[in-house]
Amino acid sequence: MKALPIFFKLLGWDILREIRRRETIPNMLLFALLVLFVASVGVDRDSGVKISSSVGPVFFWVAILFAGTVGLSQSFAAEREGGVLGGIVTSPIDLGTFYLAKVAATTLYVVVLEIALLFVYGFFFSFVPASQLGGLIGAMSLFTVGYMGAGVVLAAMTTTLRGGGEVVLRILLVPLMIPFLWVILRQSGLFFQTEIAGGALGGPLRQSHFFTFCVALDAIYLTVGYLLFPKVLE
Amino acid sequence: MRLFPLPLHLTLGWAGVLATLGLVGFYVPTADKTIGESYLIFFFHFPSAVNCLNLFVIAGVVSGLYLARSSPRLDLWAASAIEVGLLACTITLVTGSIWARAAWGIFWDVRDPRLMTVAIMWLTYAGYLALRGTMDEPVKKALFSGVFGVIAAINVPIVYFAIQFFGQSHHPMNVDLTQFEMRLTEAVGATAFLVLYTAFWRMRFRVHWSRHELNRMESAFHRSGI
């Protein structure tokens, strides 16, 4: 069977299921909203706008990181409940194609979440990075592709563990993403036009250096994921 | 009956560590030109760091081999390498923090890419052990550990190239050992820790393998209905 039509079929099926059930995106959004809300309460308003603009992007990315794990832990829920996963494994569908479709679907959900979260961020922290929006969305997309590339494999593994393995998923995935997040946070100084956490993480990288790093990590995670995912479903 | 209670390789490893301790205490110059007395901990910090990276690379390769061949021995070699690598990583972090306190006045610096990436690597491999702990079924445990062992090995090049890539590090790329006494002590320390960690690795594998064989015999016994 040809891979591309199967890929779009699986992607369409996942999106259709999300539109009907409306579970993943609203749950992720609610979780991220809670993180940003609690963070905005924690920031000392009396100390002025400077502090909130300096640590705000850190909270923004932390909210995305943890909300992403909520989405990932739900990404195989439907397959697990209906016994669909067994059907897919025994069908002639290439499991690598199934992996890529799953990564594409979850990436789409998380990018939707990130764009929605930008408005929430503007509301709580009184700043929208309008002038750097293109660069920020590009960085968010690149981060999300790598994040979901690794996350889908780990979610497929942990979904079969005792109690759904949600805690184990976070324990495994979050440390893997910290180097990526660290570079993104350094670069966020440009996007949010501030010095992140008082410059504690270092200044932004050269744009070309930054995008090379992101694309290289994405390529590594996607290749490793593509090769290992069929093994996990075995 | 054994004349000596410890296996030979372990005895050699500990003897080497004691010899390093002796050289550091009585032979090597007590202060380096650039970083002063605090450099003495280097002879323990550096071998642990190198062995930890080596063991994690080996674990990644052996995990990959397990996925290709499905031999339980390979899974247990990889798991043992990660356990001992995690010990070496812990020693690296602890000795590094002590060195940092003496040299920079602080135990930890979040701006330092080498420190941060090593800490992240420690967390990743601690996660590997947590993952193994959640599963009882041996084939599934070996398969998932193999997959995560390969993914986690991505950390090693990140740690190795952290300073070149991220820059802005207090951590020295290398310590310039100018005198013969320093180079000799470094060589003895590196050899001692290599032998010691290899002995630990082999011991952990034997423990895991014995447990695996015991479980296999127990299952066979239950299946036979005796």
Side-chain angles (χ1 to χ4, degrees), chain A residues 153-154 157 160-162 168 171-172 175-176 178-179 182-183 186 200 202 209 213 220-221 224 228 231-232, chain B residues 67 110-111 113 116 120 123-124 127-128 131 133-136 140 143-144 147-148 150-151 154-155 165-166 168:
Chain A
V153 179
L154 298 179
M157 263 165 52
T160 62
L161 300 181
R162 282 192 293 262
V168 181
I171 289 173
L172 299 182
L176 278 178
I178 296 176
W182 189 13
V183 172
R186 282 176 65 165
H209 212 143
F213 178 83
I220 291 169
Y221 283 130
V224 172
L228 296 182
K231 281 275 172 197
V232 171
Chain B
L67 295 176
V110 288
R111 281 169 292 192
M116 288 300 284
I120 292 161
L123 286 169
T124 308
Y128 174 95
L131 175 69
T134 57
M135 293 175 285
D136 300 321
K140 185 171 155 185
L143 178 66
F144 287 3
V147 169
F148 192 66
V150 172
I151 295 175
I154 294 169
N155 269 293
F165 191 83
F166 297 112
Q168 298 182 341

Side-chain angles (χ1 to χ4, degrees), chain B residues 16-216:
Chain B
V17 172
L18 284 176
T20 313
L21 208 57
L23 289 172
V24 168
F26 303 107
Y27 179 65
V28 85
T30 51
D32 178 71
K33 273 190 299 215
T34 48
I35 45 179
E37 287 179 358
S38 68
Y39 96 103
L40 290 174
I41 205 164
F42 165 82
F43 299 109
F44 301 93
H45 173 74
F46 176 70
S48 290
V50 170
N51 280 298
C52 131
L53 290 180
N54 286 344
L55 283 162
F56 289 152
V57 168
I58 290 169
V61 172
V62 177
S63 296
L65 284 175
Y66 170 80
L67 295 176
R69 294 186 188 170
S70 304
S71 158
R73 272 180 176 272
L74 290 171
D75 166 56
L76 298 178
W77 275 119
S80 313
I82 285 174
E83 284 175 355
V84 180
L86 203 60
L87 171 73
C89 194
T90 309
I91 292 172
T92 307
L93 284 171
V94 171
T95 52
S97 294
I98 295 168
W99 193 1
R101 180 81 172 98
W104 315 328
I106 44 170
F107 282 111
W108 196 256
D109 183 2
V110 288
R111 281 169 292 192
D112 195 287
R114 182 53 66 76
L115 260 63
M116 288 300 284
T117 48
V118 172
I120 292 161
M121 185 167 71
W122 190 94
L123 286 169
T124 308
Y125 283 102
Y128 174 95
L129 296 187
L131 175 69
R132 278 186 86 85
T134 57
M135 293 175 285
D136 300 321
E137 209 270 296
V139 177
K140 185 171 155 185
K141 183 193 269 194
L143 178 66
F144 287 3
S145 304
V147 169
F148 192 66
V150 172
I151 295 175
I154 294 169
N155 269 293
V156 177
I158 292 178
V159 169
Y160 190 78
F161 293 110
I163 297 176
Q164 286 98 320
F165 191 83
F166 297 112
Q168 298 182 341
S169 177
H170 293 307
H171 194 286
M173 274 297 287
N174 47 24
V175 173
D176 194 17
L177 301 174
T178 48
Q179 298 178 32
F180 171 75
E181 292 90 332
M182 292 177 177
R183 288 199 297 274
L184 177 72
T185 310
E186 185 196 19
V188 171
T191 313
F193 277 98
L194 178 67
V195 173
L196 189 68
Y197 285 125
T198 311
F200 284 159
W201 181 27
R202 191 162 166 263
M203 279 173 66
R204 282 306 295 167
F205 170 75
R206 288 175 74 170
V207 170
H208 282 307
W209 184 248
S210 304
R211 203 174 286 155
H212 173 268
E213 285 295 285
L214 196 66
N215 288 340
R216 196 176 58 79

